[in-house]
Amino acid sequence: MPPSLNLLIQSLKLPALSKAQVIALKSLQDSWERHSERMEQLRPERAMLDQKAAYGAFKADPSPENEQRLAVLADERLTTKRYTLLSQAHAEVRHQIMGKATSMLRSHLESIQHSLRTELQSREAAAEAEARSKRTDEGCLQLRMAAEELAQWIKLFDQGLAGDENGWLEMFSDVLQCLGGEAASAKKSTASRPSNLVAQQ
């Protein structure tokens, strides 16, 4: 979120997200990262690499578990199809997570946007009452720019849901940090971070 908007939100003492909302949003963020990591691990071109790894693991330790793993990955074409389908499924789940997170944040952003517009109208009226131009008044300009920036953020979230997911996580993190207050500043525990998953069938 732009620094100017961040500072203005703080200066106007606009309401932050509740602790419960921050916890829920962080959980969605963790899930999004986990499914993104899984998608990367399930790229179709990984099929041969995983097959070779399974073959090597069986040679080093011919246990029933390693034999089963090698048997599952034995057919490269079938494994590629499986990886493709699984990756698509994770992508759809990730998109659902984006929808939930965006819905939660959007109503809060719109509430802030309404507050900014109300404050802008008040300052414009004050400027006119003092025979100053509301178009050039510094306070009015700042609020007008902040309202426009906020509208742009809402638009970017909508674009992310429409399929342009590049940069969504960074944008989401910025907004959560800005609106979450102290609750959002707390570092993730090691246990909450996505684990290193291994492609499995």
Side-chain angles (χ1 to χ4, degrees):
M1 184 164 284
S4 59
L5 182 55
N6 194 337
L7 291 172
L8 190 61
I9 287 174
Q10 292 174 11
S11 69
L12 292 174
K13 294 184 169 62
L14 295 171
L17 292 163
S18 69
K19 188 174 181 179
Q21 287 174 312
V22 171
I23 290 172
L25 287 165
K26 280 190 169 184
S27 177
L28 289 171
Q29 182 181 23
D30 287 344
S31 295
W32 195 91
E33 290 174 338
R34 186 170 61 252
H35 286 287
S36 297
E37 185 178 350
R38 198 72 177 116
M39 286 170 63
E40 179 64 20
Q41 294 165 344
L42 289 166
R43 287 182 291 112
E45 55 267 31
R46 285 283 302 268
M48 278 296 292
L49 293 174
D50 287 348
Q51 186 187 81
K52 288 178 181 177
Y55 193 88
F58 178 76
K59 284 201 304 180
D61 176 20
S63 64
E65 292 80 12
N66 283 340
E67 180 183 355
Q68 175 63 23
R69 175 73 176 151
L70 179 58
V72 166
L73 296 172
D75 188 326
E76 181 192 347
R77 288 175 298 177
L78 180 57
T79 300
T80 299
K81 287 182 180 179
R82 286 173 175 166
Y83 279 24
T84 300
L85 181 62
L86 285 168
S87 184
Q88 289 173 350
H90 280 284
E92 289 186 19
V93 172
R94 192 176 76 163
H95 194 73
Q96 290 172 358
I97 291 168
M98 286 175 63
K100 290 178 183 177
T102 297
S103 177
M104 290 179 68
L105 278 177
R106 206 180 196 285
S107 60
H108 197 80
L109 290 171
E110 288 174 344
S111 174
I112 291 175
Q113 189 178 48
H114 176 74
S115 297
L116 286 174
R117 287 173 176 166
T118 300
E119 180 68 16
L120 173 60
Q121 289 174 354
S122 175
R123 292 199 187 184
E124 285 179 339
E128 289 180 336
E130 296 173 7
R132 291 182 287 109
S133 172
K134 64 181 182 181
R135 295 187 180 279
T136 58
D137 179 79
E138 186 176 344
C140 293
L141 283 171
Q142 189 180 27
L143 283 165
R144 199 173 295 115
M145 287 177 61
E148 290 173 0
E149 287 176 357
L150 197 55
Q152 186 62 25
W153 275 95
I154 293 172
K155 182 180 178 181
L156 287 171
F157 270 116
D158 291 342
Q159 287 175 347
L161 285 177
D164 181 13
E165 299 181 4
N166 293 331
W168 182 86
L169 182 61
E170 183 179 353
M171 179 178 65
F172 172 83
S173 298
D174 286 348
V175 174
L176 182 58
Q177 185 75 25
C178 179
L179 302 180
E182 293 182 4
S185 299
K187 293 182 179 178
K188 293 180 186 178
S189 66
T190 304
S192 71
R193 297 185 69 84
S195 59
N196 230 352
L197 301 175
V198 179
Q200 296 176 355
Q201 303 301 315

